[in-house]
Amino acid sequence: FPVTIQRYKEYGNTLTRMEKFNEASDCYHHALAQNPRSHTILINLGTLEIQRKRFEKATKYFQQAIDFYPKASKAYCGIGIIAQMTHENEIAEMYFNKALDVDSQNSVAIHQLYSLANNEQTWRALKIRVAQALLKEPSNLDLRFLLATSLLKQNDWIGCENELHFILSKSPNYSNAKLLREELSQLKHRHGGAL
């Protein structure tokens, strides 16, 4: 049985990437028939329905996945993405945070919170989430870059500079870090070089 479920799931994933959504849905439903409580397959169905812009149906699949497996970080993230797509940013933020409560490494949730951050409070909250993820993955340069950005947004220029120094010492061609370093340098110049 498990091999068959896995095959259906993998084939469904392939068909989804090819945008053959009806066939992909059939594959996932075959897999689900064999294991009706599979949160992974429910998440795949939810993700498929997002691509079809059927948000209500997608939300139902994600909610079912959470009901069966409350630690389904990707399902919380899916609901967050739907909320973001429908401009319900507070709800989106809440679900991305729930996703990170169960999996501090959920990079999609971290990046979505980054895209939603727009004030002192949200930047501070993001900094904490990024720091939690970095505890498990200290050399992740993308996370370090998000940390550097959130530090800059909070006017912690020294902290930002330290993060950028770390990133560029490991990856000298990290273009976003170079751009942020330039932005920091201009800020310091405008403020007379004083930190």
Side-chain angles (χ1 to χ4, degrees):
F1 272 134
V3 175
T4 313
I5 290 172
Q6 191 60 29
R7 282 226 182 100
Y8 275 129
K9 187 179 145 246
E10 284 170 9
Y11 191 44
N13 292 348
T14 302
L15 289 166
T16 300
R17 282 191 292 274
M18 294 164 68
E19 297 187 8
K20 294 185 175 182
F21 299 136
N22 292 338
E23 295 95 323
S25 179
D26 289 345
C27 279
Y28 292 142
H29 280 288
H30 282 302
L32 203 58
Q34 291 179 29
N35 183 1
R37 296 177 66 91
S38 169
H39 68 278
T40 309
I41 293 163
L42 288 164
I43 290 167
N44 286 358
L45 279 163
T47 305
L48 173 71
E49 295 304 340
I50 286 179
Q51 289 178 271
R52 289 168 139 176
K53 306 263 188 281
R54 294 181 186 172
F55 298 145
E56 208 173 307
K57 205 170 184 181
T59 303
K60 280 181 187 164
Y61 283 128
F62 290 134
Q63 192 55 59
Q64 252 185 304
I66 292 165
D67 293 343
F68 291 141
Y69 184 65
K71 290 187 174 181
S73 181
K74 288 180 180 176
Y76 291 113
C77 213
I79 296 174
I81 286 168
I82 292 167
Q84 198 175 9
M85 289 170 90
T86 55
H87 308 290
E88 297 171 273
N89 289 349
E90 280 180 26
I91 293 170
E93 217 172 285
M94 182 182 82
Y95 275 96
F96 293 136
N97 277 305
K98 283 184 176 192
L100 290 166
D101 286 342
V102 293
D103 175 14
S104 65
Q105 304 301 110
N106 185 324
S107 65
V108 172
I110 291 172
H111 281 88
Q112 295 313 111
L113 282 175
Y114 174 79
S115 72
L116 289 169
N118 61 4
N119 60 41
E120 175 72 26
Q121 188 183 344
T122 51
W123 284 111
R124 196 176 316 120
L126 176 70
K127 181 176 79 173
I128 292 164
R129 290 300 191 178
V130 172
Q132 287 170 335
L134 280 168
L135 286 174
K136 291 185 181 170
E137 241 184 305
S139 57
N140 182 319
L141 299 184
D142 292 335
L143 287 173
R144 292 252 174 210
F145 175 74
L146 295 184
L147 181 58
T149 305
S150 60
L151 289 166
L152 182 65
K153 295 288 184 182
Q154 293 173 80
N155 295 317
D156 180 350
W157 294 356
I158 294 172
C160 175
E161 199 162 29
N162 289 340
E163 287 304 319
L164 291 173
H165 178 74
F166 179 87
I167 295 165
L168 293 167
S169 70
K170 302 281 181 200
S171 175
N173 296 320
Y174 197 116
S175 56
N176 283 342
K178 285 178 170 179
L179 289 170
L180 194 64
R181 186 175 60 183
E182 187 56 38
E183 189 182 328
L184 177 62
S185 155
Q186 286 170 3
L187 270 171
K188 282 159 73 175
H189 183 71
R190 277 203 299 274
H191 289 83
L195 285 176

